[in-house]
């Protein structure tokens, strides 16, 4: 994605100047044309992976998992498109994209919890599409009333066993106010790292980010292919 627009910048500028086509049809053709290639292989991967690794065997949860995974893929693609258009050159875009992705990955919720991050930079999680995808995935797999896990080889005196799916989701999302101590509310899950929006609220945020990134890409493309009068 980072190399998509820069090589064609001068061609598009010249053909726009001659009136061959407007920028919007070009932008839609490029993004829609790459769209199917972007989601085809991840779709096959997700379908196989879900059942092979033994995630919760429910078709509704499986479909939701596909929606979450593919939404994250499309959001990542949208970020790559924006970097490609905003960078102006292939070299800058290639450097810019992994740098941004690394920051978003660090604040996505998988590697660290919010209480372990300085408040000065913790706001980055709100612009990380990985954060919304991670929370939605955890809720989709563990926020299940009848899901209970048994425990083996427990040595800690403070261990809570058996664990419900909600307890595990709370621990993963960082809802425990004290490390290693579970806080179990009766209402829906919420945590310092969780948004409290639920599965579909997080998916909605992903698609808002996708739309914003695509619009930003279009205007960045207008800038680098601006007609000289």
């Amino acid at each position: 994605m980072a190399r998509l627009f820069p090589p064609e910048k001068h061609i598009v500028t010249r053909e726009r100047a001659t009136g061959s086509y407007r920028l919007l049809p070009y932008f839609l053709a490029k993004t829609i044309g790459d769209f199917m290639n972007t989601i085809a292989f991840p779709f096959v991967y997700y379908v196989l992976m879900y059942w092979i690794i033994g995630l919760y065997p429910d078709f509704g949860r499986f479909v939701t998992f596909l929606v979450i995974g593919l939404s994250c893929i499309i959001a990542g693609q949208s970020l790559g498109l924006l970097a490609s258009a905003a960078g102006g050159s292939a070299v800058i875009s290639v450097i810019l994209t992994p740098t941004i992705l690394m920051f978003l990955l660090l604040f996505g919720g998988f590697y660290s919890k919010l209480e372990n991050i300085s408040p000065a930079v913790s706001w980055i999680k709100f612009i990380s599409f990985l954060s919304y995808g991670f929370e939605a995935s955890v809720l989709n797999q563990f926020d299940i009333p009848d899901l209970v896990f048994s425990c083996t080889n427990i040595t800690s005196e403070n261990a809570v066993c058996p664990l419900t799916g909600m307890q595990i989701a709370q621990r993963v999302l960082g809802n425990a106010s004290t490390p290693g101590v579970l806080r179990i509310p009766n209402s829906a899950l919420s945590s310092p790292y969780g948004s409290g929006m639920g599965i579909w609220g997080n998916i909605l945020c992903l698609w808002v980010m996708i739309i914003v990134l695509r619009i930003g890409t279009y205007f960045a493309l207008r800038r680098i292919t601006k007609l000289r009068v």
Side-chain angles (χ1 to χ4, degrees):
M1 289 296 105
R3 297 176 179 270
L4 185 64
F5 294 123
E8 300 180 356
K9 177 176 64 175
H10 298 295
I11 298 174
V12 174
T13 302
R14 183 177 67 249
E15 293 185 350
R16 284 186 65 201
T18 60
S20 300
Y21 49 77
R22 298 177 64 86
L23 182 62
L24 183 59
Y26 165 79
F27 173 71
L28 293 175
K30 291 292 289 185
T31 55
I32 294 175
D34 289 327
F35 180 79
M36 295 306 298
N37 292 331
T38 301
I39 67 172
F41 290 109
F43 177 82
V44 175
Y45 172 77
Y46 287 146
V47 169
L48 296 175
M49 180 191 73
Y50 190 91
W51 304 107
I52 288 174
I53 66 177
L55 296 178
Y56 192 75
D58 177 79
F59 184 74
R61 299 275 174 175
F62 166 66
V63 173
T64 304
F65 173 80
L66 288 179
V67 173
I68 296 169
L70 294 178
S71 296
C72 286
I73 292 292
I74 297 169
Q77 181 200 40
S78 301
L79 179 62
L81 290 173
L82 179 58
S84 177
S89 69
V91 175
I92 295 176
S93 299
V94 168
I95 295 173
L96 190 64
T97 302
T99 304
I100 295 174
L101 283 175
M102 183 59 65
F103 275 102
L104 298 183
L105 180 63
L106 292 175
F107 293 91
F110 182 79
Y111 292 105
S112 60
K113 296 180 180 179
L114 187 60
E115 58 264 27
N116 300 325
I117 299 174
S118 170
V121 294
S122 61
W123 58 269
I124 296 178
K125 86 177 192 70
F126 295 108
I127 60 172
S128 173
F129 65 93
L130 296 169
S131 174
Y132 298 108
F134 175 70
E135 182 180 345
S137 297
V138 171
L139 293 175
N140 184 54
Q141 287 300 306
F142 295 106
D143 188 18
I144 304 171
D146 59 350
L147 185 61
V148 179
F149 295 88
S150 60
C151 306
T152 58
N153 300 323
I154 299 298
T155 57
S156 174
E157 296 180 356
N158 298 323
V160 179
C161 189
L163 290 172
T164 66
M166 180 174 286
Q167 288 174 311
I168 293 175
Q170 289 169 333
R171 175 167 288 181
V172 171
L173 294 176
N175 191 53
S177 58
T178 304
V181 179
L182 294 175
R183 304 294 183 184
I184 310 167
N186 295 324
S187 58
L189 290 173
S190 61
S191 71
Y193 222 102
S195 62
M197 295 182 297
I199 297 173
W200 295 102
N202 281 283
I203 293 174
L204 178 62
C205 287
L206 280 172
W207 279 94
V208 170
M209 294 186 70
I210 290 169
I211 293 171
V212 170
L213 289 170
R214 299 273 171 161
I215 293 174
T217 301
Y218 173 73
F219 284 103
L221 200 57
R222 284 185 63 90
R223 180 184 62 83
I224 66 171
T225 60
K226 186 176 181 181
L227 299 179
R228 300 293 193 274
V229 180

